[in-house]
């Protein structure tokens, strides 16, 4: 029975939660679950009790209720056509979104704020001076999954609960980053395979391995934070921060609008026309449907259009997609260590853009 349960519910659901649902929703005895799992009944009992005690957390409780209604009700569909493909796609989407949110939660002073009966949660970061910056918008289903996996924790649940990343969440973030890097490296290796020689000597293979190892060592910033936060800690020749707080806020404002623009049926919006490789025409009328927050999307489009080619590329990649500077330089064909200079210029232009927009609004008002 447990094998069927594990197959029908999402792969991200922890083992303890799977066994808890098998016991509470199907009536399967603890001894039967233990026999199927090949472990002692006391082990299953401890797992079930641990999950039950965590139901005081509103996100954990909501996640278990949703799983029970979706996968254990009389109307739930069992083994539908194309089930395995959909499970794989959902798992990849979950890993990608979890990586995005956990990276934001690793930033200093960041919390995930969840309000009762709201479909969306937000990640906010303390900016000092009693102000906070919204850095990500999170679907509550994803927030429930993160809580069920114990990657985020809340000390005092309430009408507005504030979650922080846990130690297991930081470990999971490292694993997700490694998996993303391996996938990117595999794609690059596959793309280079057609140009490779028919055979490689042992010495050439050793050189390739050494080059990959050196590339991994040369990461410029922590994978758990954005390029802006890392650059803000650097100092120029005069000892001043390479990026001052106003420039960081401008980049975070663009990121906030970018996150808000993702809300809606079409979760992943297409911004490729702002990248160097694509055309730069405006969005077509047909793309308005299900595009999320139209005001936020218009603000992002206006800001990127004002920056123009090159500057909009680096702003979109580093501020919104959170790409590292080395990767952005490589994709845009720039020389090494030039990205941070272009990024600072882009942020200066972006800051001026927002100031101009604020001035126009005051004149209209």
């Amino acid at each position: 029975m447990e094998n069927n349960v594990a197959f029908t519910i999402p792969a991200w659901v922890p083992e303890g939660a799977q066994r808890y649902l098998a016991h509470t929703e199907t009536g399967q005895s603890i001894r039967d679950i233990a026999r199927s799992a090949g472990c002692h009944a006391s082990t299953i009992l401890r797992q079930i009790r641990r999950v039950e005690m965590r139901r005081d957390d509103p996100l954990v409780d909501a996640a278990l209720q949703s799983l029970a209604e979706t996968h254990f009700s009389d109307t739930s569909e069992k083994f539908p056509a194309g089930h395995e493909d959909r499970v794989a796609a959902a798992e990849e989407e979950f890993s990608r979104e979890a990586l995005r949110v956990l990276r934001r939660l690793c930033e200093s002073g960041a919390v995930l704020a969840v309000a009762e009966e709201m479909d969306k949660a937000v990640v906010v970061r303390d900016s000092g001076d009693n102000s906070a910056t919204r850095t990500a918008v999170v679907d509550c289903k994803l927030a429930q999954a993160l809580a069920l996996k114990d990657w985020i924790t809340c000390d005092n649940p309430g009408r507005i609960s504030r979650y922080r990343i846990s130690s297991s969440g930081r470990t999971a973030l490292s694993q997700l980053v490694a998996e993303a890097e391996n996938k990117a490296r595999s794609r690059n290796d596959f793309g280079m395979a057609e140009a490779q020689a028919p055979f490689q000597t042992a010495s050439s293979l050793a050189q390739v391995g050494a080059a990959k190892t050196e590339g991994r060592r040369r990461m410029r910033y922590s994978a758990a934070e954005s390029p802006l936060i890392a650059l803000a800690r650097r100092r120029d020749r005069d000892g001043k921060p390479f990026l001052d707080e106003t420039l960081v806020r401008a980049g975070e404002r663009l990121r906030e609008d970018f996150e808000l623009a993702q809300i809606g049926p079409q979760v992943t919006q297409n911004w490729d026309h702002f990248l160097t490789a694509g055309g730069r025409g405006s969005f077509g009328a047909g793309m308005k449907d299900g595009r999320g927050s139209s005001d936020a999307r218009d603000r992002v489009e206006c800001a990127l259009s004002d920056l123009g080619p090159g500057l909009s590329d680096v702003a979109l990649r580093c501020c919104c997609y959170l790409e590292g500077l080395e990767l952005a330089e490589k994709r845009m064909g720039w020389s090494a260590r030039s990205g941070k200079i272009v990024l600072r210029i882009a942020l200066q232009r972006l800051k001026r853009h927002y100031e101009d927009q604020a001035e126009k609004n005051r004149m209209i008002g």
Side-chain angles (χ1 to χ4, degrees):
M1 177 67 181
E2 191 188 30
N3 292 336
N4 289 337
V5 170
F7 183 78
T8 56
I9 66 178
W12 58 261
V13 179
E15 184 180 67
Q18 293 183 22
R19 292 168 177 173
Y20 173 85
L21 291 169
H23 175 64
T24 58
E25 298 299 326
T26 68
Q28 191 175 5
S29 70
I30 292 177
R31 292 189 181 277
D32 287 342
I33 297 175
R35 191 177 299 111
S36 299
C39 62
H40 198 274
S42 61
T43 302
I44 305 299
L45 179 61
R46 284 195 298 270
Q47 290 179 337
I48 292 175
R49 284 179 175 174
R50 189 180 302 117
V51 174
E52 179 65 33
M53 291 175 62
R54 295 186 61 212
R55 297 203 73 156
D56 291 337
D57 186 318
L59 286 184
V60 173
D61 185 63
L64 292 171
Q65 286 184 7
S66 177
L67 289 169
E69 294 171 359
T70 305
H71 301 282
F72 292 90
S73 66
D74 295 335
T75 59
S76 60
E77 186 180 12
K78 305 297 183 183
F79 308 108
H83 174 75
E84 294 183 1
D85 293 338
R86 283 191 285 182
V87 167
E91 185 68 14
E92 184 176 354
E93 176 68 15
F94 170 76
S95 298
R96 182 167 57 251
E97 286 296 293
L99 174 60
R100 176 180 68 89
V101 176
L102 292 177
R103 287 181 67 169
R104 280 303 187 177
L105 285 175
C106 268
E107 295 175 354
S108 177
V111 297
L112 176 66
V114 183
E116 292 180 352
E117 300 179 357
M118 294 294 290
D119 294 332
K120 302 291 179 180
V122 294
V123 178
V124 294
R125 179 170 59 84
D126 185 8
S127 302
D129 300 328
N130 296 324
S131 62
T133 302
R134 181 165 48 187
T135 59
V137 179
V138 184
D139 189 274
C140 273
K141 292 292 185 182
L142 176 63
Q144 293 168 10
L146 296 178
L148 186 60
K149 292 179 74 69
D150 200 24
W151 290 356
I152 57 175
T153 58
C154 178
D155 296 331
N156 187 23
R159 189 175 63 86
I160 298 181
S161 302
R162 293 172 175 82
Y163 289 79
R164 300 181 184 276
I165 188 170
S166 64
S167 57
S168 58
R170 294 181 185 275
T171 301
L173 174 59
S174 300
Q175 295 174 348
L176 290 172
V177 169
E179 290 174 2
E181 290 178 349
N182 290 336
K183 289 180 181 178
R185 191 176 298 112
S186 297
R187 286 194 294 268
N188 292 337
D189 292 345
F190 180 78
M192 295 288 290
E194 295 180 357
Q196 288 180 349
F199 65 93
Q200 290 180 310
T201 63
S203 60
S204 63
L205 287 172
Q207 291 174 357
V208 172
K212 291 182 178 180
T213 303
E214 181 64 21
R216 286 193 293 268
R217 290 174 183 167
R218 288 197 326 235
M219 287 185 64
R220 296 290 181 84
Y221 66 96
S222 170
E225 62 187 3
S226 71
L228 266 63
I229 300 300
L231 281 178
R233 291 201 302 265
R234 293 188 180 184
R235 301 283 175 173
D236 58 18
R237 294 179 179 179
D238 299 329
K240 297 179 181 179
F242 187 80
L243 296 179
D244 61 38
E245 185 62 29
T246 60
L247 298 183
V248 175
R249 280 202 297 266
E252 293 290 2
R253 181 173 176 179
L254 179 66
R255 171 68 180 179
E256 179 178 341
D257 284 336
F258 178 83
E259 289 287 347
L260 290 172
Q262 310 306 304
I263 304 176
Q266 182 183 343
V267 177
T268 304
Q269 307 290 348
N270 180 19
W271 300 96
D272 291 346
H273 74 297
F274 281 107
L275 300 177
T276 303
R280 290 184 176 270
S282 60
F283 291 101
M287 298 185 68
K288 300 284 185 180
D289 299 333
R291 69 178 189 171
S293 172
S294 59
D295 292 339
R297 188 183 182 104
D298 290 341
R299 289 194 297 269
V300 175
E301 182 180 3
C302 181
L304 295 177
S305 297
D306 193 21
L307 291 180
L311 296 183
S312 63
D313 291 332
V314 71
L316 183 60
R317 292 182 187 278
C318 295
C319 298
C320 301
Y321 291 153
L322 300 181
E323 284 187 4
L325 286 173
E326 288 186 354
L327 180 58
E329 290 168 352
K330 182 177 180 180
R331 288 185 173 178
M332 291 186 284
W334 295 351
S335 60
R337 293 180 294 278
S338 63
K340 65 178 184 179
I341 304 299
V342 181
L343 177 58
R344 183 164 65 176
I345 296 173
L347 292 175
Q348 291 169 346
R349 289 278 298 273
L350 190 62
K351 173 188 173 184
R352 188 176 66 184
H353 166 78
Y354 287 133
E355 290 174 348
D356 292 344
Q357 292 297 313
E359 184 64 26
K360 289 180 182 179
N361 293 336
R362 281 196 294 269
M363 293 177 65
I364 294 174

